[in-house]
Every structure is written in C-alpha cells, then in structure tokens.
Amino acid sequence: MALLPILRYPDPRLHTKAAPVAQVDDSVRQLAADMAETMYAAPGIGLAATQVDRHLRLIVIDVSEDKSQLLTLINPSLLEKSGECEGEEGCLSVPGIYETVKRASQVRVRALGLDGQPFELDANDLLAVCIQHEMDHLEGKVFVEYLSRLKRERIKSKLVKQARETF
Ligand code: NI
C-alpha cells in the first residue's frame, strides 16, 4: 500500500472529468486500497480518484467514527435524490476551508464493488452528502464552485499563498 499525493485546489487537474472503470481488476483494487490508506492518513472521510490525479470513476468513503465502514464505489451513478440539507463541507484538496453547501439529504446510488459486482445503496445525511461531494469530483467539480465568485476567489488566493509559503 502507498500514500498518494493529493492535488490541491486550484490545481487545474481537479477539473478533469473522470473516465469509467472498464474492468475491476487488481490494478483498480490496488488504487482503491491506496486511496483508502491516503484518506485515513489525511485524515478524511472521502476521497475521489480525481484528487490523486487518477481520472477514473472511483471513490472511497468512510463516515464512521472508528474507520470501520469503508465504502468503495466504482462507476457510481445517482438513481434518485430527495430532500434538502445544508451543512459545512471540507475537502482534502481544499485544506482548512469549511463552507456551507446545499445538497440532497437522501440519495440512492448504483455502483460496482471491488468484486466488480453491481450494487445499490440508500444513503442519507452525512453519507449522502459525502457521496454527492465525491461524485462531483469525478465530474471535475470542487465544492467551492457552489460558493459565490467572491468567496471562491478569496479561497483561491489564500491557498495559492499557503502553497507558496510551503516551499
Ligand atoms: Ni473533496
């Protein structure tokens, strides 16, 4: 297993649209395992392949307190969404920034598991929000894009400044 470097906003590679996984093979399972390790180490509750510069439709999520409920979604698609909720979101690609985003409070998603078999999942609250956030990454969308232009520009310059100070 390996820790993977996480792209940071405003890296343009975060705006890449991910391609479907053609076959769930050992290389995909290895990537999923590395992504899970990277997410836990960060620490975070979700990570999309886009964020580690691998542009495949693959996400890992674990919203449990004790890191016991790893969920891997390959080629996820949203079948239904309903309700509305507003909560503070953060993102491993936008470190230190937390902003309120409006999302559906319930989703039904279909995906392939690590065995290549399709399954469906009903999620609500934090898990539903996390699934929507990570699926956005696969479309090249970062959560700050839901904010006003002014807020987004402020975040961008803050992160650019931070990155400059790191080197
Ligand atoms: Ni994110």
Side-chain angles (χ1 to χ4, degrees):
M1 301 234 279
L3 289 181
L4 306 168
I6 297 174
L7 299 179
R8 290 195 172 190
Y9 185 79
D11 191 310
R13 290 171 289 180
L14 286 168
H15 302 303
T16 312
K17 192 174 153 75
V21 172
Q23 198 187 346
V24 182
D25 56 17
D26 284 346
S27 73
V28 170
R29 282 185 280 270
Q30 183 63 54
L31 175 59
D34 290 344
M35 283 170 56
E37 194 187 2
T38 304
M39 170 183 77
Y40 287 130
I45 59 172
L47 190 68
T50 310
Q51 293 175 274
V52 292
D53 203 22
R54 294 289 304 272
H55 302 285
L56 290 172
R57 304 188 79 80
L58 165 59
I59 63 186
V60 293
I61 292 176
D62 191 341
V63 298
S64 70
E65 295 274 331
D66 59 356
K67 304 179 175 181
S68 65
Q69 287 172 46
L70 178 62
L71 184 62
T72 303
L73 301 177
I74 298 167
N75 297 344
S77 63
L78 220 49
L79 302 176
E80 280 171 45
K81 59 177 182 176
S82 60
E84 219 175 66
C85 63
E86 248 179 344
E88 245 187 20
E89 289 185 26
C91 178
L92 293 176
S93 293
V94 195
I97 306 290
Y98 299 89
E99 295 285 348
T100 302
V101 178
K102 201 180 276 182
R103 302 273 190 190
S105 56
Q106 283 157 347
V107 297
R108 183 168 183 80
V109 65
R110 176 184 290 151
L112 302 178
L114 288 169
D115 55 3
Q117 294 303 306
F119 67 97
E120 290 184 10
L121 172 76
D122 286 304
N124 51 39
D125 305 322
L126 180 59
L127 181 57
V129 167
C130 196
I131 288 172
Q132 291 168 82
H133 176 118
E134 301 310 331
M135 284 182 68
D136 274 353
H137 277 301
L138 303 181
E139 298 302 320
K141 188 165 184 177
V142 180
F143 84 104
V144 296
E145 287 165 64
Y146 288 101
L147 309 175
S148 71
R149 191 191 169 90
L150 179 66
K151 243 182 188 170
R152 196 165 57 243
E153 290 305 320
R154 276 196 195 133
I155 291 168
K156 211 180 266 181
S157 44
K158 192 175 168 185
L159 290 174
V160 167
K161 189 163 172 273
Q162 256 175 29
R164 221 181 274 137
E165 282 163 0
T166 313
F167 298 106

